[in-house]
Amino acid sequence: MSTYHIKHLEEYFHVYRKSVRDAETFWAEIAEEHFLWRKKWQQVLSWDFTKPEVKWFEGAQLNITENCIDRHLTSRPHKTAILFEPNDPKDDAQHITYKQLYERVNKFANVLKERGIKKGDRVCIYLPMIPELAVSVLACARIGAIHSVVFAGFSATALATRINDSSCKMVITSDGSYRGAKTIDLKGIVDEALNECKSVESVLVAQRIHSDITMKDGRDTWLQPLLDAASTICEPEVMDAEDPLFILYTSGSTGQPKGMVHTTAGYMVYAAYTFKNVFQYQEDDVYWCTADIGWITGHSYIVYGPLANGATTVMFEGVPSYPDFGRFWQLVAKHKVNQFYTAPTAIRALAKQGLEVVEPYDLSSLKVLGTVGEPINEEAWHWYNDNIGKKKSPIVDTWWQTETGGIMISPIPFSTPTKPTYATLPMPGIQPALMNENGQEIKGNQVEGRLCIKFPWPSMARTIWGNHQRYKDTYFSAFENKYFTGDGALRDEVGYYRITGRVDDVIIVSGHNLGTAPIEDAINEHPAVAESAIVGFPHDIKGNALYGYVTFKDTGESRDHTNVRTEINQLITERIGPIAKLDKIQFTKGLPKTRSGKIMRRILRKIAHKDTSNLGDTSTLLNPEVVQSIIDNAL
Ligand code: PRX
């Protein structure tokens, strides 16, 4: 029986029990047998959720790139590590072998060193899905610099906030990016952001779209000539197990994004272990995750998890709709993809296009299908199962978070029987608990509550960059001695988990986590706006869309509402990015508030859901008259 690779349900239960009974031995065995260490740990785990402080493999030394690249040089040097598929289908795919990846990462690492980047420095990476993105991430890890990848769809303001929060010394970007038929001026966005950033000393620019950009003297340098001149040998920095590997920002319920800090050894072990089991990767398989490396899914399941297992991982630059809605399926057929991992929102958007865009392609290579990022509705699940998996590829509905670093609850394909809309069972080492509002654990099956995790796992984020108190308040204060996920969940009669959605002020739109506060802050910057409140409402493709209630400083009657709507969405695009635009904007004379002045979002949510038959307890409302007028004018 193998602990590292689970092959049937009985084995899962056996391994799971072992992981709970003796977590330290369980993880130590996996770490020992499957990874390369410069020095072994003195202690597998120490933890205290009250501080909170968690350490895994303390005393161990390693470099994650030796595990993801160097150790494959003897066993699979000419195997494709990264299969890059460009935006334009007329351009050739690039097969980057492990040996080539080794050379490219080392060259890039040497460039970083020459530009003064040292262990512990923060490097912001703002790149499209081109090989330089994966290479720069690994190059940072090679020299012990902490990468902070910012999704290249974020605006200049959002980028500047993230650069400043962790005082990045360098930004790596490109002259621009392709997105379907469009190009985006990434360098222009970086230039604008850097007007607000004092810590950045240098900018490396990859050439992608060959656009005419301005290079700032003394700050900006083209990347390629530096790479051409660099050596292909760069000794990896020896890192302590708990040295930070990266920072990745996620939305919170207050304005400032949270820079989740992931450390080296535990993250590596858990990302690799879950990749192997959740996707059942076999040596000659081609694995494709359609996420962007700007999100945690890309970090763990495009870069680190697959490469640590010596896998071939596809990196796709384009979008599912270009040149037509058959692109995903065309690529599955072209590259004979075996494992395909995407978001429910993409499935819903593609399902809407009909089977004409699926049928021309041979999808018989597919073995495992995955989803992540939001609950998958039953209809989308069946469409995926029937038309893409042809009922023979199990669907792994994987629940996890930026904060968790790796997949927490998911079926293990060919072992766990799947059930539509259920993420099913916890991964080995993960101990979920459902809690009631009084802070007690709800035991037994067929129950619903707030989802917590009661024991540490190796890849959990260790802190929020520069704000440990916020880390404690957000995740460890709601329920004593437990990590609180912010999600609600139910457990069915056999113990399967179904995630029901966020229970805080975070809304998931097209699989993107959006905090309401920063969006409201952006709207409130409009000179005519007094106040605003954002809630989510169901949307057949995005899962949720955003509904904004906005009040004017004056009566607003004379204003051109269409213009203000456009201006509000423009502000949101500038401050956050187009992903946070509102689908509906209702102008109202007031917002329902409690006597203490808190907006009663519960009521606004019900109105947006067109569910006003029972508004619940409204006795604490300060201004009940406002509610009826909002209902009467609801969109
Ligand atoms: O609400 C859950 C939802 O996405 C949140 C985490 O978002 P983020 O940190 O951006 O990471 C997304 C990729 C891991 C969770 O708190 N979520 C994620 N996966 C699922 C999900 N909701 C339901 N089912 C899922 N499979």
Side-chain angles (χ1 to χ4, degrees):
M1 209 169 272
S2 154
T3 306
Y4 188 73
H5 184 192
I6 297 166
K7 293 187 216 64
H8 50 82
L9 193 58
E10 222 174 287
E11 201 169 34
Y12 161 78
F13 285 119
H14 172 83
V15 168
Y16 185 78
R17 277 194 297 272
K18 178 171 158 186
S19 78
V20 173
R21 207 173 45 236
D22 186 357
E24 295 194 28
T25 311
F26 172 77
W27 287 114
E29 273 176 25
I30 290 174
E32 174 104 39
E33 284 168 25
H34 297 278
F35 301 89
L36 202 64
W37 303 90
R38 288 292 183 105
K39 192 172 145 225
K40 288 281 155 63
W41 47 90
Q42 279 127 23
Q43 191 167 353
V44 182
L45 168 67
S46 61
W47 66 292
D48 179 350
F49 276 179
T50 61
K51 283 184 177 166
E53 189 177 87
V54 173
K55 290 181 178 163
W56 282 93
F57 308 112
E58 210 179 344
Q61 292 190 320
L62 72 157
N63 186 288
I64 196 169
T65 66
E66 281 194 298
N67 282 276
C68 289
I69 308 171
D70 303 39
R71 66 167 161 155
H72 306 309
L73 293 180
T74 41
S75 49
R76 42 179 86 86
H78 306 301
K79 175 174 176 176
T80 302
I82 295 177
L83 201 175
F84 172 64
E85 174 67 35
N87 177 64
D88 188 336
K90 291 196 284 301
D91 292 343
D92 290 338
Q94 289 174 31
H95 291 254
I96 303 169
T97 65
Y98 273 94
K99 181 155 183 292
Q100 290 164 337
L101 184 62
Y102 170 82
E103 289 170 358
R104 287 178 72 161
V105 168
N106 281 350
K107 276 173 169 276
F108 208 128
N110 282 325
V111 168
L112 295 177
K113 284 211 278 196
E114 279 161 23
R115 313 303 286 179
I117 301 298
K118 297 182 299 299
K119 178 179 174 181
D121 286 343
R122 275 79 60 207
V123 173
C124 173
I125 303 174
Y126 187 73
L127 278 171
M129 282 286 283
I130 55 176
E132 285 80 355
L133 172 50
V135 171
S136 60
V137 159
L138 293 161
C140 286
R142 186 89 176 163
I143 65 164
I146 303 169
H147 56 77
S148 167
V149 183
V150 177
F151 171 61
F154 275 116
S155 70
T157 316
L159 174 62
T161 306
R162 286 157 177 76
I163 291 172
N164 288 334
D165 184 74
S166 46
S167 315
C168 294
K169 212 165 147 182
M170 175 188 268
V171 177
I172 303 170
T173 189
S174 65
D175 54 353
S177 65
Y178 293 117
R179 199 175 159 72
K182 288 193 293 200
T183 55
I184 297 167
D185 174 21
L186 287 194
K187 177 63 166 56
I189 296 172
V190 169
D191 288 341
E192 193 187 330
L194 291 191
N195 289 331
E196 312 297 323
C197 304
K198 302 233 167 359
S199 59
V200 174
E201 292 167 10
S202 56
V203 178
L204 295 180
V205 187
Q207 197 168 38
R208 178 59 186 148
I209 65 168
H210 298 269
S211 61
D212 195 11
I213 57 165
T214 359
M215 298 289 278
K216 187 169 168 185
D217 259 359
R219 188 193 71 183
D220 304 348
T221 320
W222 288 106
L223 178 63
Q224 198 55 46
L226 301 178
L227 289 174
D228 291 342
S231 153
T232 56
I233 295 174
C234 174
E235 276 305 309
E237 186 77 30
V238 178
M239 304 296 285
D240 287 337
E242 284 294 337
D243 278 338
L245 173 65
F246 65 85
I247 301 169
L248 187 60
Y249 286 88
T250 187
S251 311
S253 15
T254 61
Q256 187 77 356
K258 297 174 291 195
M260 304 314 305
V261 178
H262 283 283
T263 58
T264 308
Y267 173 81
M268 172 185 77
V269 168
Y270 195 79
Y273 178 73
T274 47
F275 172 77
K276 177 72 184 170
N277 285 296
V278 172
F279 299 104
Q280 292 290 308
Y281 184 85
Q282 302 288 330
E283 183 60 31
D284 295 321
D285 288 347
V286 174
Y287 160 87
W288 180 18
C289 164
T290 69
D292 192 291
I293 294 176
W295 310 114
I296 190 69
T297 308
H299 281 59
S300 303
Y301 300 110
I302 296 178
V303 183
Y304 289 116
L307 296 179
N309 281 283
T312 296
T313 176
V314 175
M315 231 184 123
F316 176 44
E317 184 186 24
V319 292
S321 55
Y322 179 80
D324 59 54
F325 280 96
R327 189 76 191 274
F328 273 6
W329 318 127
Q330 180 246 330
L331 291 182
V332 167
K334 176 178 170 191
H335 296 302
K336 299 195 171 42
V337 171
N338 302 108
Q339 292 89 3
F340 178 75
Y341 191 28
T342 196
T345 188
I347 298 168
R348 289 190 293 264
L350 293 173
K352 218 178 142 190
Q353 305 304 316
L355 291 176
E356 309 85 83
V357 296
V358 182
E359 274 158 1
Y361 304 107
D362 175 6
L363 306 181
S364 61
S365 57
L366 288 170
K367 296 197 278 195
V368 177
L369 300 177
T371 74
V372 60
E374 56 184 315
I376 179 163
N377 50 310
E378 195 133 0
E379 202 185 337
W381 194 98
H382 283 295
W383 186 87
Y384 200 28
N385 188 42
D386 295 351
N387 301 302
I388 305 305
K390 320 281 185 204
K391 292 196 169 83
K392 64 172 185 49
S393 303
I395 295 178
V396 289
D397 174 355
T398 64
W399 172 83
W400 58 297
Q401 309 177 295
T402 306
E403 296 86 336
T404 69
I407 294 168
M408 303 288 278
I409 303 183
S410 166
I412 292 185
F414 312 108
S415 296
T416 321
T418 58
K419 177 174 175 182
T421 77
Y422 281 74
T424 75
L425 297 171
M427 293 303 292
I430 304 307
Q431 300 186 34
L434 296 181
M435 310 296 291
N436 68 22
E437 284 182 20
N438 303 323
Q440 288 136 349
E441 182 170 352
I442 314 167
K443 304 263 183 171
N445 289 343
Q446 284 189 297
V447 292
E448 184 166 358
R450 299 183 170 217
L451 179 61
C452 287
I453 313 290
K454 52 188 178 185
F455 194 83
W457 63 100
S459 66
M460 61 192 293
R462 302 294 196 258
T463 189
I464 291 176
W465 183 265
N467 199 344
H468 196 66
Q469 186 61 42
R470 188 175 180 198
Y471 176 67
K472 180 176 175 170
D473 294 346
T474 312
Y475 304 107
F476 295 90
S477 301
F479 301 98
E480 201 182 345
N481 232 3
K482 290 181 183 62
Y483 167 83
F484 175 44
T485 64
D487 284 325
L490 59 83
R491 192 162 50 220
D492 77 356
E493 62 287 353
V494 299
Y496 274 15
Y497 288 88
R498 175 188 185 167
I499 311 304
T500 49
R502 301 292 307 183
V503 294
D504 57 8
D505 287 334
V506 172
I507 304 171
I508 304 194
V509 178
S510 299
H512 299 306
N513 245 1
L514 299 172
T516 49
I519 305 175
E520 289 163 5
D521 291 347
I523 300 173
N524 299 349
E525 281 183 36
H526 191 287
V529 170
E531 277 196 296
S532 59
I534 305 292
V535 297
F537 71 99
H539 185 281
D540 59 356
I541 293 191
K542 301 179 188 181
N544 294 299
L546 300 179
Y547 192 127
Y549 299 88
V550 175
T551 65
F552 285 121
K553 284 179 182 154
D554 57 26
T555 60
E557 271 149 24
S558 57
R559 289 184 187 280
D560 178 343
H561 286 188
T562 316
N563 269 351
V564 180
R565 285 199 175 94
T566 312
E567 287 158 12
I568 284 175
N569 270 331
Q570 187 59 33
L571 267 169
I572 294 173
T573 305
E574 280 163 21
R575 295 293 178 267
I576 300 155
I579 49 178
K581 283 207 282 196
L582 308 184
D583 271 43
K584 291 186 180 176
I585 302 178
Q586 179 177 354
F587 297 113
T588 146
K589 289 198 169 64
L591 298 172
K593 291 198 179 157
T594 62
R595 286 173 213 287
S596 58
K598 256 187 101 174
I599 298 171
M600 279 181 95
R601 287 169 197 279
R602 184 173 53 77
I603 292 181
L604 295 175
R605 220 172 275 134
K606 286 212 161 207
I607 298 173
H609 280 71
K610 298 196 189 310
D611 168 25
T612 50
S613 55
N614 176 11
L615 290 178
D617 180 11
T618 51
S619 60
T620 56
L621 261 180
L622 177 69
N623 48 353
E625 72 289 352
V626 155
V627 174
Q628 195 53 49
S629 102
I630 299 180
I631 294 174
D632 293 343
N633 297 300
L635 301 171

